[in-house]
Amino acid sequence: MFEYAPAPESRAIVDIKPSYGLFVNGEFVDPKEGGAFKSVNPATEETLAEIAEASQADVDAAVAAARTAYQKVWGPMPGSERAKYLYRIARIIAERSRELAVLESIDNGKPIKETRDVDLPLVSAHFFYHAGWADKLDHAGFGPQPRPVGVAGQVIPWNFPLLMLAWKVAPALACGNTVVLKPAETTPLTALAFAEICREADLPPGVVNIVTGAGDTGAAVVSHPGVDKVAFTGSTAVGRLIAKSVAGTGKRLTLELGGKAANIVFADAAIDQAVEGVVNGIFFNQGHVCCAGSRLLVQESVAEEVLDRLKRRMSTLRLGDPLDKNTDIGAINSAEQLTRIRELTEVGSAEGAEPWSPQCPLPDTGYWFAPTIFTGVQQAHRIAREEIFGPVLSVLTFRTPEEAIEKANNTPYGLSAGVWTEKGSRMLWAADRLKAGVVWANTFNKFDATSPFGGLKESGYGREGGRQGLEAYLDV
Amino acid sequence: MSDRLTVRKTYKLYLGGKFPRSESGRTYPVKSAEGSGLANAALASRKDVRDAVAAARKAQPGWAAATAYLRGQILYRVAEMLEGRRAQFVAEVRDARGGTVKAATAEVDAAVDRLVWYAGWPDKLSQVLGGANPVAGPYFNHTAPEPVGVVTQVAPQGEPLLGLVSVLAPVIAAGNATVVLAAQEQPLPAISFAEVLATSDLPGGVVNVLSGRVAELAPWLSSHSDVNAVDLTGVDDAELAAECERAAAENLKRVWRPVRPDWTAAPGLDRLRACVELKTVWHPAGL
């Protein structure tokens, strides 16, 4: 093990205001009923800012602004002009990417290495890619001159705050819709910075509206009668509630929900590469990833070797200050999430699985959880069935390829899967049989604006990204 | 009127990312629509064509290997640079083709918008032109477009900027490199546009701009054996165009025949389709 000197990224680049209003009709406004909540740095527990809590009346105003902008400005605007606004936004995000990366790390707890090298480049790319679609919708395969849906109500999670915003806002705007977006309660700051960017880009008022708040605000957005289309990324439990509340209203709905992805390592895999991919698959973003490879399925003949190398690799992971450029694992996003991870891992031990973590001192303040693997996991164990959404990997073994597929598919989820083998035909055979919306072969957790993402079964419906992702925001 | 004497620009070729004079040492006078002298433009030779094709061939693999996203960003950058020099181009276009400031402005604005339109294509082309094929067997089978390679082009006569941009942008958006002969009597906006390209992170050699005579150069652009496709849009002489097509047939170049399209209309996919090849990959799926 090497000693690493601290290499903190400066936070002087961000300017966090003491309090933030709602972004409605192009202006930052105070909430009508004056509620507020705090956004906290999960690595230090310091309060970062007071955030306005939007009530029903605020959501009403936001939806009305979005409706007016849709009817008067954004809907009628030629696609070529919408494209230019989106290109502007893509460029401004790229220009301000370091600032946004630092802000995201502070508010979310994820390592600066990830916000800087993964989240922000993807965010800018997502706007750039969709800018290009705004004036090419008649080439997208949905017939000539496809129409937008109208006002989109969008609710996003805390694990990739700005990236999830991009996945929602960019296609909606490209297709000619306007949006009312609710960022997650624990990570509103980059969405509010995005509101400033909309102003900087001279985006017409009302095209993007951002209402902050918790579950009640989100419920007000998705159940609002003035909303034509609902898009949600988050837990399957909440997704189910939303599907029920939307039922019978005629609203369009896309859901990107939980997962319990299997990462299948065949005996002929390049083991070091596979181990690297398994580590990335579960410890990237502290495992706060809906498509995380949270179940390792390893072929019995190489299980011991894979585990040895996995443990050795885990021992080199560095947990700590999210702003340190050497940090691999940052803070758990909230006290609530930490509690959930602790509960499920305690259940894992109680049910007979065996936990292992490397030597990993945790900071005294903030929310932290050491990278953990469980061996001896049975398919019936809760840690093999439920989404933990933390840096916790359940290890299972298999003997035949058919058994691997059976175990991988033995879940109500179907978001993603990983396959590690040096044989192309076996990879394609497995990909064919895996019930997952995304299959990564000899790689994991790869995302691109051009590549559709989304799940099967109870991981939700609809795709985000790529040509196919446009469908969710077109009246087709 | 200021008593300061203006510094005039020497218009040269754009070749391999540099601005050389014609190796032949020749120039020809370029006149405005009203008939006054504007400048001397380089009168490119057969040797300049060969040098330009060599530069394009050298640059093309790197350009094609750049991610589609990067190629899109660079095309957008070209649009940004052109927009930034809008006033200059309005003046040059008006000098070249006459007419009103309004008409010249419309041509420049359309040229910027066309570049923005094509900037969105590199990372979408394969999603529109390619796809998975459901072959009757356990195979992964996938078809995707790839650039045809080096393209030579005769830019249209009469729309010195919009015409040039409209023929050049799809070719480079698809990952090709090009040698383009500017409008014969109005080459100056094209040479100035090369300055835009040179400051847009576009690798040198991806676009090479020549000025000269269509009748002299089109046959060489069409017959050069290291060229994969030829675009005869600006060859107005039907007999010459037919001769060029015959020359192109020798190594089975793809040929874009002369047309006089409405450059102000929204372009379709024709030009993009014309400068890509389709490649199909088979792979067995099975244990």
Side-chain angles (χ1 to χ4, degrees), chain A residues 354-422:
Chain A
E354 223 175 283
W356 181 89
S357 294
Q359 283 284 329
C360 183
L362 302 181
D364 298 331
T365 57
Y367 317 125
W368 308 92
F369 199 88
T372 301
I373 56 174
F374 276 95
T375 52
V377 179
Q378 302 298 313
Q379 290 191 77
H381 288 169
R382 279 181 65 194
I383 53 169
R385 309 198 64 79
E386 294 181 30
E387 186 174 42
I388 299 173
F389 225 62
V392 182
L393 178 67
S394 298
V395 183
L396 298 90
T397 59
F398 68 91
R399 287 184 180 170
T400 65
E402 289 81 3
E403 185 190 349
I405 301 297
E406 181 128 348
K407 284 183 169 171
N409 289 341
N410 182 16
T411 166
Y413 296 113
L415 190 52
S416 67
V419 182
W420 299 84
T421 169
E422 290 296 275

Side-chain angles (χ1 to χ4, degrees), chain A residues 410-449:
Chain A
N410 182 16
T411 166
Y413 296 113
L415 190 52
S416 67
V419 182
W420 299 84
T421 169
E422 290 296 275
K423 193 174 173 192
S425 59
R426 179 180 291 123
M427 182 278 284
L428 291 166
W429 176 90
D432 216 32
R433 284 156 182 78
L434 286 164
K435 297 289 180 206
V438 181
V439 177
W440 286 294
N442 294 335
T443 187
F444 208 90
N445 274 341
K446 287 283 174 289
F447 308 95
D448 195 287

Side-chain angles (χ1 to χ4, degrees), chain B residues 29-276:
Chain B
V30 176
K31 292 193 166 49
S32 73
E34 286 83 30
S36 58
L38 290 173
N40 293 312
L43 183 63
S45 64
R46 177 189 181 183
K47 178 68 163 68
D48 292 318
V49 168
R50 287 162 57 185
D51 290 346
V53 169
R57 178 58 68 194
K58 195 171 163 203
Q60 195 270 333
W63 178 239
T67 64
Y69 177 41
L70 181 61
R71 279 186 272 127
Q73 285 184 295
I74 289 175
L75 272 162
Y76 185 75
R77 182 74 174 158
V78 176
E80 288 182 339
M81 293 294 106
L82 183 57
E83 177 93 34
R85 293 168 64 165
R86 191 164 170 265
Q88 175 200 342
F89 277 94
V90 169
E92 285 202 51
V93 166
R94 184 158 180 257
D95 282 345
R97 62 178 291 186
T100 61
V101 173
K102 195 177 164 195
T105 304
E107 177 169 344
V108 174
D109 288 351
V112 175
D113 288 0
R114 184 120 323 150
L115 285 162
V116 171
W117 194 74
Y118 279 114
W121 272 116
D123 58 10
K124 297 177 185 67
L125 202 55
S126 68
Q127 299 183 310
V128 171
L129 300 186
N133 310 309
V135 294
Y139 294 93
F140 167 89
N141 185 294
H142 186 261
T143 299
E146 60 179 44
V148 66
V150 170
V151 181
T152 51
Q153 306 185 278
V154 180
Q157 316 297 325
E159 294 85 0
L161 181 65
L162 179 59
L164 176 90
V165 165
S166 298
V167 300
L168 171 160
V171 168
I172 60 173
N176 302 284
T178 178
V179 176
V180 59
L181 177 61
Q184 179 172 316
E185 303 304 328
Q186 307 158 346
L188 303 187
I191 301 299
S192 291
F193 183 70
E195 296 162 9
V196 167
L197 297 173
T199 51
S200 300
D201 301 329
L202 186 75
V206 172
V207 173
N208 304 277
V209 183
L210 305 178
S211 53
R213 296 200 186 98
V214 174
E216 179 186 355
L217 297 180
W220 300 124
L221 291 167
S222 307
S223 64
H224 194 299
S225 284
D226 201 24
V227 170
N228 304 100
V230 57
D231 169 6
L232 300 173
T233 300
V235 182
D236 291 340
D237 175 346
E239 209 165 305
L240 177 62
E243 183 199 319
C244 288
E245 281 194 50
R246 278 191 294 276
E250 182 58 34
N251 67 338
L252 299 176
K253 288 183 189 70
R254 285 75 180 125
V255 178
W256 184 272
R257 291 179 181 77
V259 276
R260 295 285 312 160
D262 175 7
W263 297 112
T264 59
L269 296 185
D270 305 7
R271 285 185 171 271
L272 286 164
R273 274 200 303 263
C275 63
V276 296

